[in-house]
Amino acid sequence: MKNLDQTDRKLLRLLQQDCRITIKELSKKLYLSNTPVYERIKKLEKRGIIKGYVALLEPEVLDRSMVVFISLSMENHSRDAVEKFKNEVMVLTEVMEFYYTSGNYDALIKLMVKDMNAYSIFVQEKLSKIDIVSRFNSTFIISSSVKTVFDI
Amino acid sequence: MKNLDQTDRKLLRLLQQDCRITIKELSKKLYLSNTPVYERIKKLEKRGIIKGYVALLEPEVLDRSMVVFISLSMENHSRDAVEKFKNEVMVLTEVMEFYYTSGNYDALIKLMVKDMNAYSIFVQEKLSKIDIVSRFNSTFIISSSVKTVFDI
DNA sequence: ATTGAAACGAATGAACG
DNA sequence: CGTTCATTCGTTTCAAT
């Protein structure tokens, strides 16, 4: 939270909620004129605090409404092997997130697929063909809730 | 993928990568004039296919660089109990995601916290005080990779 | 569904406190 | 840090197709 004053924080909160808001509107909400708001945003972007601006899409329409987490064990834990596996897996359409983990398994991947058939194809045609994977366990998501805004 | 032509898909791909791109720039990339691009975006918003536009922030700066997944079991699985628990837990600053799951546990929550101390405080002061939780198991994330763009 | 132009509104940067 | 103001640029609407 270093070097973020109250105005920066409010600005970040607003941009997390809707980043297509105009600078003019932001200025009103922050009780400032355009220029400081504009310059604060540019500074936050340059400092890497704002990493990007993305549109959120409805998974349903894109045939991605089924969410599955797969915990898996790996046969090799070298830095290079983990990195290679991560790259291999993140290239796959179905895989949205990769985590290298502590605990009973070594990694966790989050899948978003159309249906059970697409899941099955993923496991049989893709995951099973990656040699480093020794065993895995799938957790199917019944319902979920995801925050897109950090409390600042 | 119904009712999305190639132009819509390319548009969605571009907006997922950078939603602050101007309509003018989009028009160039799509080889169209402003109006159709403008109208396609509005239509995609109205159809709920574009759910929103958000700024992505660097967790480090916000004291959120530690990621933990907690799998947990619940003592009551009624629809209302699950809904109540979801709301209770999503209100907590540390919790970014909630999943109601199949498998060995009943739910999975994703935490983003500053450090082990913050994690510990979360468990002791918050999670342990929610009665419906009967047991839980934490998985600490060593490294991760997250996609913000669906392959369309 | 698309074009091109016109009207309007917002972003950017200079000058300054 | 901030403001105001001038210029540039993007958005939005509309007639025509």
Side-chain angles (χ1 to χ4, degrees):
Chain A
M1 306 286 235
K2 291 124 201 154
N3 297 321
L4 293 180
D5 65 14
Q6 280 308 114
T7 304
D8 282 331
R9 288 184 200 186
K10 190 164 180 192
L11 183 52
L12 290 174
R13 238 181 293 131
L14 293 165
L15 288 173
Q16 279 187 288
Q17 282 157 15
D18 173 15
C19 69
R20 297 258 292 199
I21 186 174
T22 61
I23 288 176
K24 214 178 170 191
E25 261 189 279
L26 284 170
S27 308
K28 249 187 283 172
K29 288 179 197 274
L30 297 168
Y31 305 105
L32 285 171
S33 59
N34 281 6
T35 311
V37 175
Y38 173 77
E39 279 167 358
R40 277 169 184 270
I41 292 173
K42 289 293 162 233
K43 204 175 284 178
L44 290 165
E45 288 170 352
K46 256 163 222 142
R47 288 169 70 189
I49 292 171
I50 296 174
K51 291 201 298 179
Y53 302 99
V54 306
L56 300 180
L57 308 187
E58 175 55 51
E60 178 76 36
V61 185
L62 307 169
D63 291 336
R64 301 295 205 99
S65 36
M66 181 167 172
V67 180
V68 187
F69 281 92
I70 304 183
S71 300
L72 49 89
S73 298
M74 293 164 47
E75 287 187 343
N76 180 336
H77 299 104
S78 75
R79 195 194 188 78
D80 286 356
V82 173
E83 183 70 13
K84 179 163 174 282
F85 177 59
K86 184 195 81 183
N87 292 332
E88 230 167 331
V89 101
M90 283 302 282
V91 148
L92 304 172
T93 302
E94 297 89 342
V95 177
M96 297 304 291
E97 304 178 13
F98 168 88
Y99 301 94
Y100 185 47
T101 67
S102 73
N104 294 327
Y105 289 89
D106 299 320
L108 181 69
I109 60 179
K110 181 183 175 180
L111 259 52
M112 293 183 79
V113 291
K114 182 172 194 288
D115 52 24
M116 196 50 96
N117 186 49
Y119 164 77
S120 173
I121 288 169
F122 171 80
V123 167
Q124 288 166 15
E125 315 270 307
K126 300 186 180 178
L127 193 62
S128 297
K129 290 187 177 164
I130 302 180
D131 283 342
I132 201 176
V133 177
S134 59
R135 76 199 164 96
F136 61 86
N137 181 278
S138 298
T139 297
F140 294 89
I141 303 310
I142 300 162
S143 68
S144 71
S145 177
V146 174
K147 264 181 210 170
T148 57
V149 181
F150 284 114
D151 294 337
I152 304 185
Chain B
M1 305 286 239
K2 292 124 202 155
N3 296 321
L4 293 179
D5 65 14
Q6 281 307 116
T7 304
D8 282 331
R9 288 184 200 188
K10 189 164 181 192
L11 183 51
L12 290 174
R13 241 182 289 131
L14 292 165
L15 288 172
Q16 280 187 286
Q17 282 157 13
D18 173 15
C19 69
R20 298 259 290 199
I21 186 173
T22 62
I23 288 174
K24 224 179 165 187
E25 262 187 279
L26 284 170
S27 308
K28 249 186 285 174
K29 288 180 200 273
L30 297 169
Y31 306 104
L32 286 171
S33 60
N34 283 5
T35 311
V37 175
Y38 174 78
E39 276 166 1
R40 277 168 185 269
I41 292 173
K42 291 293 162 230
K43 204 175 286 180
L44 290 165
E45 288 169 353
K46 253 162 225 144
R47 288 169 71 187
I49 294 172
I50 295 174
K51 291 201 301 180
Y53 302 98
V54 307
L56 299 179
L57 308 187
E58 174 55 51
E60 178 76 36
V61 186
L62 306 170
D63 291 337
R64 301 297 204 95
S65 35
M66 182 166 170
V67 179
V68 187
F69 281 92
I70 304 183
S71 298
L72 48 88
S73 297
M74 293 165 46
E75 288 186 344
N76 181 336
H77 299 106
S78 75
R79 194 193 187 80
D80 286 356
V82 174
E83 183 70 13
K84 181 164 173 282
F85 177 58
K86 184 195 79 183
N87 292 332
E88 228 168 331
V89 100
M90 283 303 282
V91 148
L92 305 172
T93 301
E94 296 89 342
V95 178
M96 297 304 291
E97 305 178 12
F98 169 88
Y99 300 93
Y100 185 48
T101 66
S102 72
N104 293 326
Y105 289 89
D106 299 320
L108 181 68
I109 60 178
K110 180 183 176 182
L111 261 50
M112 293 183 78
V113 291
K114 181 173 196 285
D115 51 25
M116 196 49 95
N117 186 50
Y119 164 77
S120 173
I121 287 170
F122 172 80
V123 167
Q124 288 165 16
E125 316 267 308
K126 301 187 180 176
L127 193 63
S128 297
K129 290 188 176 164
I130 301 180
D131 283 342
I132 200 176
V133 177
S134 58
R135 75 199 164 97
F136 60 85
N137 179 278
S138 298
T139 298
F140 294 89
I141 303 311
I142 300 163
S143 67
S144 71
S145 177
V146 175
K147 265 182 211 170
T148 58
V149 180
F150 284 113
D151 294 336
I152 303 183

